[in-house]
Amino acid sequence: MNLIHGDCLKILRTLEEKSFDLVVTSPPYNLGINYSQFEDTAPRTKFLSWCKSWARQLKRVLADDGSFFLNIGATPSNPLLPHQLILALTDGKKPLFTLQNTFHWVKSISVKTTDDELLSVGHFKPINSDRYVNDCHEYVFHLTKTGSIPLDRRAAGVPYQHKSNISRWQHTGGQDLRCRGNTWFIPYQTIRYRMKDRPHPASFPPALVEQCIKLHGKGCETRLLDPFLGIGSSALAAKFQKIAHFTGIEIDQEYLASARLRLEKEAISKTSL
């Protein structure tokens, strides 16, 4: 694994053209999040221009059949950011990317079962407001160069609840596994101490990245890049999926140190089994 300290704009320019199959990342949201060393309050036009700059470099280093999964969230009082960003990357006479799929990362949900039992699962940050409801989801935009990149839809699939559908839908090939769809319920793991266990204000779970790896369909041969590594969730996902070729870039030395520590702890836990 190659974990690099530095500004992703500078580092990306040094990487070889078309040297990655898959990019999964979550940039700063420009919503005033309290990062350790990044000022997350730029004017919106300046922020979008900055995003287009690193996105150009991602397009350059991404293989022609590659996928770029972009995780971005919003706040109830500032709901347009994800849409403004995706338009900046896909709109105009010479768009950088084509939006091929839009996924909804659901962090918490309440559902009523067929037995009329109400289940509430997952984690969310409560909003103290009489205007807005709790925000329990974020977007994951799947971007490609052409909009026609094949995916392994069932690699990240789920079994049928009603088994009669196995034979009814021929695209499953008789297997009890269907496409999961574009709504992903992926909760955070429960932690005891925020600053110790998750010292980053906007990280995603490794399982989110694993879902993207499976869907892209190249398995352990995947060449994976995360230009905003944070505390290393994508590096852990690469390790869980046995990916040897992983590169992560992080500007904050403290976050990078946390990423290395998480990988070391994972390695120790595996060797102690």
Side-chain angles (χ1 to χ4, degrees), residues 89-122:
L89 301 184
T90 62
D91 203 13
K93 294 181 179 179
K94 294 184 178 180
L96 290 171
F97 290 99
T98 297
L99 178 60
Q100 187 165 321
N101 289 283
T102 298
F103 298 95
H104 301 271
W105 167 27
V106 179
K107 305 177 184 181
S108 177
I109 192 169
S110 297
V111 295
K112 184 172 287 189
T113 69
T114 53
D115 296 326
D116 209 32
E117 180 184 3
L118 184 63
L119 299 177
S120 292
V121 289

Side-chain angles (χ1 to χ4, degrees), residues 210-235:
E210 290 188 84
Q211 188 84 341
C212 299
I213 294 169
K214 292 174 183 177
L215 193 60
H216 188 61
K218 292 201 173 183
C220 61
E221 301 299 319
T222 304
R223 299 170 297 171
L224 175 60
L225 169 66
D226 183 350
F228 299 98
L229 180 65
I231 57 173
S233 292
S234 55

Side-chain angles (χ1 to χ4, degrees), residues 52-80:
K52 291 175 74 173
S53 295
W54 50 255
R56 286 190 194 95
Q57 290 302 317
L58 290 183
K59 183 177 183 179
R60 186 184 66 81
V61 302
L62 188 65
D64 289 339
D65 63 347
S67 288
F68 169 24
F69 289 88
L70 173 64
N71 165 230
I72 190 81
T75 63
S77 60
N78 196 351
L80 294 179

Side-chain angles (χ1 to χ4, degrees), residues 12-209:
L12 285 171
R13 293 189 181 103
T14 69
L15 301 180
E16 186 179 346
E17 183 177 351
K18 300 181 181 180
S19 56
F20 293 93
D21 308 298
L22 181 62
V23 177
V24 184
T25 198
S26 182
Y29 292 176
N30 200 44
L31 296 172
I33 293 174
N34 187 26
Y35 294 101
S36 176
Q37 296 184 20
F38 182 84
E39 188 66 34
D40 196 42
T41 55
R44 185 56 51 89
T45 53
K46 184 178 180 180
F47 172 75
L48 293 177
S49 177
W50 173 70
C51 289
K52 291 175 74 173
S53 295
W54 50 255
R56 286 190 194 95
Q57 290 302 317
L58 290 183
K59 183 177 183 179
R60 186 184 66 81
V61 302
L62 188 65
D64 289 339
D65 63 347
S67 288
F68 169 24
F69 289 88
L70 173 64
N71 165 230
I72 190 81
T75 63
S77 60
N78 196 351
L80 294 179
L81 174 64
H83 311 289
Q84 291 171 333
L85 176 54
I86 204 63
L87 282 172
L89 301 184
T90 62
D91 203 13
K93 294 181 179 179
K94 294 184 178 180
L96 290 171
F97 290 99
T98 297
L99 178 60
Q100 187 165 321
N101 289 283
T102 298
F103 298 95
H104 301 271
W105 167 27
V106 179
K107 305 177 184 181
S108 177
I109 192 169
S110 297
V111 295
K112 184 172 287 189
T113 69
T114 53
D115 296 326
D116 209 32
E117 180 184 3
L118 184 63
L119 299 177
S120 292
V121 289
H123 303 273
F124 63 92
K125 184 177 180 180
I127 294 176
N128 185 19
S129 171
D130 58 2
R131 294 184 295 160
Y132 305 119
V133 299
N134 291 326
D135 191 2
C136 299
H137 103 293
E138 293 188 10
Y139 294 95
V140 179
F141 296 115
H142 173 220
L143 300 158
T144 61
K145 291 185 179 182
T146 64
S148 58
I149 303 304
L151 298 174
D152 191 347
R153 303 193 321 150
R154 289 190 291 130
V158 293
Y160 280 101
Q161 181 178 6
H162 301 291
K163 303 307 180 184
S164 62
N165 287 325
I166 299 173
S167 58
R168 183 177 303 163
W169 304 113
Q170 295 180 359
H171 66 272
T172 66
Q175 297 183 41
D176 185 12
L177 196 66
R178 65 169 177 82
C179 172
R180 184 181 297 263
N182 65 354
T183 304
W184 296 350
F185 171 59
I186 302 175
Y188 286 104
Q189 286 187 327
T190 301
I191 57 175
R192 304 181 82 183
Y193 306 105
R194 177 60 188 265
M195 291 308 298
K196 177 183 177 182
D197 298 328
R198 197 184 295 144
H200 190 285
S203 62
F204 47 49
L208 183 72
V209 185

